[in-house]
Amino acid sequence: NAGVTQTPKFQVLKTGQSMTLQCAQDMNHEYMSWYRQDPGMGLRLIHYSVGAGITDQGEVPNGYNVSRSTTEDFPLRLLSAAPSQTSVYFCASSYSGEDGYTFGSGTRLTVV
Amino acid sequence: EDQVTQSPEALRLQEGESSSLNCSYTVSGLRGLFWYRQDPGKGPEFLFTLYSAGEEKEKERLKATLTKKESFLHITAPKPEDSATYLCAVHWWRSSASKIIFGSGTRLSIRP
């Protein structure tokens, strides 16, 4: 039982490049979310999903896309990286959305 | 405006010195208030969910309480290993959309 697995752990991108952050969970959780964490600003919700095939926007969705083709996987795509997207990204999953979320260990992204 | 505020931003205690952390919120229709612990370089670790005013939950030296507008995380006789950032988050629904806001956290340091 690995919980929530995020890859890669570190990534450096050039402005304008695209990439996908991977997130997988093995707990059969329906709810999955992506957050970014910036100093002094706390965790902010980017996108979330309440089940396979269903996604919705969070607080800061611009510049990011998601899809949920399976219960296990919830990748986050950066379409055209910008320095403002330099951050630590966390994926999280929950059984019902109203109980606690299990977080991954994060991806530290730097855009230069 | 929907808001979650944690205080203090930082707290330094001597080992064994009990204290409380505060999380105040202004959302309406609360579905749950979460407390998490986050160690440097790691993802948040779930501690508690509180659902209604008057509810209390305990785990080792931690006790979380909830009123209609705030939650407290009481730490009794803390040890150095309790040093971490403690985050609270509130969850509610608006127009069929799931909403969640995290506070900026309280950095707790326990001196031996």
Side-chain angles (χ1 to χ4, degrees), chain B residues 57-70:
Chain B
K57 289 192 176 174
E58 290 188 64
K59 180 179 180 179
E60 297 180 359
R61 295 175 292 281
L62 300 176
K63 179 180 177 180
T65 62
L66 180 64
T67 70
K68 288 196 174 183
K69 288 300 176 188
E70 60 188 350

Side-chain angles (χ1 to χ4, degrees), chain A residues 26-45:
Chain A
D26 61 359
M27 298 172 284
N28 202 32
H29 284 171
E30 290 294 327
Y31 285 69
M32 296 187 75
S33 304
W34 275 103
Y35 294 87
R36 59 178 290 172
Q37 188 171 39
D38 302 293
M41 299 193 72
L43 285 153
R44 291 182 291 169
L45 182 63

Side-chain angles (χ1 to χ4, degrees), chain B residues 35-109:
Chain B
W35 281 99
Y36 290 87
R37 168 193 171 126
Q38 187 174 25
D39 294 300
K42 296 189 176 181
E45 175 189 347
F46 172 72
L47 294 173
F48 306 108
T49 306
L50 302 168
Y51 296 100
S52 58
E55 189 174 1
E56 300 182 350
K57 289 192 176 174
E58 290 188 64
K59 180 179 180 179
E60 297 180 359
R61 295 175 292 281
L62 300 176
K63 179 180 177 180
T65 62
L66 180 64
T67 70
K68 288 196 174 183
K69 288 300 176 188
E70 60 188 350
S71 176
F72 292 93
L73 185 65
H74 308 278
I75 301 176
T76 302
K79 299 181 178 182
E81 53 263 40
D82 294 322
S83 297
T85 296
Y86 290 84
L87 304 170
C88 76
V90 297
H91 173 239
W92 75 106
W93 286 87
R94 176 175 296 143
S95 302
S96 302
S98 176
K99 300 290 185 183
I100 186 165
I101 296 180
F102 275 80
S104 298
T106 294
R107 293 189 310 279
L108 178 65
S109 175

Side-chain angles (χ1 to χ4, degrees), chain A residues 27-77:
Chain A
M27 298 172 284
N28 202 32
H29 284 171
E30 290 294 327
Y31 285 69
M32 296 187 75
S33 304
W34 275 103
Y35 294 87
R36 59 178 290 172
Q37 188 171 39
D38 302 293
M41 299 193 72
L43 285 153
R44 291 182 291 169
L45 182 63
I46 304 172
H47 285 285
Y48 68 97
S49 169
V50 300
I54 306 169
T55 63
D56 206 345
Q57 296 181 349
E59 180 185 356
V60 288
N62 292 339
Y64 307 95
N65 273 357
V66 292
S67 60
R68 185 95 180 272
S69 57
T70 67
T71 299
E72 296 77 21
D73 300 299
F74 192 43
L76 178 72
R77 298 183 192 84

Side-chain angles (χ1 to χ4, degrees), chain A residues 5 19 23 25 28 40 45 47-48 50 54 81 83 85 88-89 98 104:
Chain A
T5 302
M19 79 159 294
C23 176
Q25 54 92 8
N28 202 32
L45 182 63
H47 285 285
Y48 68 97
V50 300
I54 306 169
Q85 294 179 304
V88 180
Y89 291 84
E98 297 186 1

Side-chain angles (χ1 to χ4, degrees), chain A residues 66-112:
Chain A
V66 292
S67 60
R68 185 95 180 272
S69 57
T70 67
T71 299
E72 296 77 21
D73 300 299
F74 192 43
L76 178 72
R77 298 183 192 84
L78 279 70
L79 308 173
S80 177
S84 60
Q85 294 179 304
T86 294
S87 187
V88 180
Y89 291 84
F90 289 101
C91 178
S93 73
S94 169
Y95 177 71
S96 70
E98 297 186 1
D99 54 353
Y101 274 78
T102 300
F103 280 77
S105 57
T107 295
R108 185 173 296 273
L109 176 68
T110 302
V111 183
V112 298

